[in-house]
Amino acid sequence: ALVLALAAGGCGRSGTTQQAGRPPVPVTVGTVEQKTVPVSFRAIGNVEPIETVAVRARIGGELQRVFFTEGETVRAGSPLFAIDPRPYRAALAQAEAQLARNTALLAKAEADITRYAGLVQQDYVTKEQYDQITADAAALTAAVAADQANVETAKLNLDYCTIGSPVTGRTGTLNVKAGNLVKANDDLPLVTINQVRPINASFSVPAQLLPGVIARRSGSIRVVASVPGDPMPAAEGRLSFIDNAVDTATGTILLRATFANEDERLWPGEFVDLTVILGEEPGRIV
């Protein structure tokens, strides 16, 4: 009787423990309905500036002034640097003086040709003298043309003393400070400017997705970009480029989307999550 009582008590405790160890299973209930849903795929992209310009000096000299601060947004045509213009002003004055001298000599030579043309017909001067005067005038004509080219070159060099921004964008690190000597076309740029408004995001997708992209490229394919960890709403852009060949090594094709990026949330070099929306399908069960 004692053994049976102990066995019955053990079985009772085991059943109670087993029932207590089974928590209720949560069940989520939803309503099945039909909706219009987007046809899309996801990818990881790399943000790239539309234009990157390495600004270099086209002449040498002392860097007198820098008109911007590092990281500042500059507009196309705005001045960036000023190089000492005094040597180039002197070179321009010298070229203009040489042009004026040879222009005066050419005017005299042309007058001599007119005067000697009548004298040679009357045998007052020899034909050899007349030919020499004509040759001198032709040489002076060539010299005047060369002097005009030198003046234009001197003017260009003087204009190059002020370096303007070729694009609208954000400046990077300033590599040369005011007071230093710069060389013409140096390997190290003075500064690099990235255009960030608008901006591109490049990404590669499997070639199997290419037919769907090509079928809808006549329309405007939306691309949504979100920065990991950024709570702000995703940026929206458009597919702007499809590469002309599939990479045989990876079986992928390169695509590119363009975003207005007015708030400059997308930054060159960062990775973003992209959703390419090819279109919409109505009546899908969701």
Side-chain angles (χ1 to χ4, degrees):
L2 181 61
V3 172
L4 290 176
L6 291 174
C11 291
R13 287 192 300 270
S14 176
T16 303
T17 304
Q18 186 175 7
Q19 290 178 357
R22 294 180 180 176
V25 178
V27 177
T28 302
V29 179
T31 303
V32 177
E33 54 185 343
Q34 289 184 324
K35 284 186 177 181
T36 299
V37 296
V39 179
S40 62
F41 60 85
R42 299 186 64 184
I44 297 176
N46 182 34
V47 180
E48 301 171 345
I50 288 183
E51 287 188 79
T52 298
V53 179
V55 180
R56 292 180 171 86
R58 303 183 70 170
I59 57 171
E62 180 187 351
L63 186 63
Q64 286 189 329
R65 186 176 178 185
V66 179
F67 294 95
F68 67 95
T69 57
E70 293 177 316
E72 180 184 352
T73 298
V74 295
R75 297 196 172 275
S78 60
L80 299 177
F81 303 97
I83 297 175
D84 185 6
R86 291 173 296 178
Y88 300 98
R89 286 197 188 116
L92 176 59
Q94 182 179 2
E96 290 175 339
Q98 183 68 25
L99 174 61
R101 175 181 180 276
N102 286 335
T103 300
L105 292 176
L106 177 60
K108 180 181 181 303
E110 290 175 344
D112 289 343
I113 290 175
T114 302
R115 183 169 57 252
Y116 276 77
L119 296 177
V120 75
Q121 292 178 357
Q122 299 176 10
D123 293 333
Y124 289 119
V125 295
T126 64
K127 184 70 167 56
E128 182 180 359
Q129 290 176 318
Y130 179 75
D131 291 342
Q132 182 62 47
I133 293 172
T134 304
D136 292 343
L140 286 171
T141 300
V144 168
D147 293 339
Q148 289 174 340
N150 291 334
V151 169
E152 293 299 323
T153 301
K155 288 181 178 179
L156 278 176
N157 289 336
L158 186 58
D159 290 340
Y160 291 154
C161 290
T162 301
I163 304 175
S165 176
V167 296
T168 297
R170 186 175 289 273
T171 59
T173 302
L174 181 61
N175 296 319
V176 181
K177 309 295 183 181
N180 288 281
L181 292 177
V182 296
K183 296 187 295 183
N185 301 315
D186 195 2
D187 292 336
L188 180 66
L190 301 177
V191 70
T192 300
I193 301 175
N194 286 333
Q195 181 180 346
V196 296
R197 292 187 296 178
I199 202 166
N200 289 332
S202 298
F203 56 101
S204 296
V205 299
Q208 292 83 350
L209 299 175
L210 182 59
V213 174
I214 293 178
R216 295 172 174 84
R217 66 179 175 179
S218 58
S220 184
I221 299 179
R222 294 169 53 213
V223 181
V224 178
S226 60
V227 180
D230 188 352
M232 299 295 292
E236 184 170 324
R238 302 290 174 179
L239 188 69
S240 57
F241 171 74
I242 304 174
D243 202 359
N244 59 357
V246 174
D247 188 343
T248 56
T250 61
T252 60
I253 187 165
L254 177 66
L255 305 180
R256 184 179 299 128
T258 302
F259 301 84
N261 201 34
E262 292 296 335
D263 54 359
E264 295 187 359
R265 287 179 52 213
L266 302 181
W267 211 250
E270 70 180 353
F271 290 94
V272 291
D273 294 326
L274 299 173
T275 301
V276 181
I277 303 173
L278 299 178
E280 295 181 339
E281 288 188 4
R284 293 292 298 269
I285 303 297
V286 298

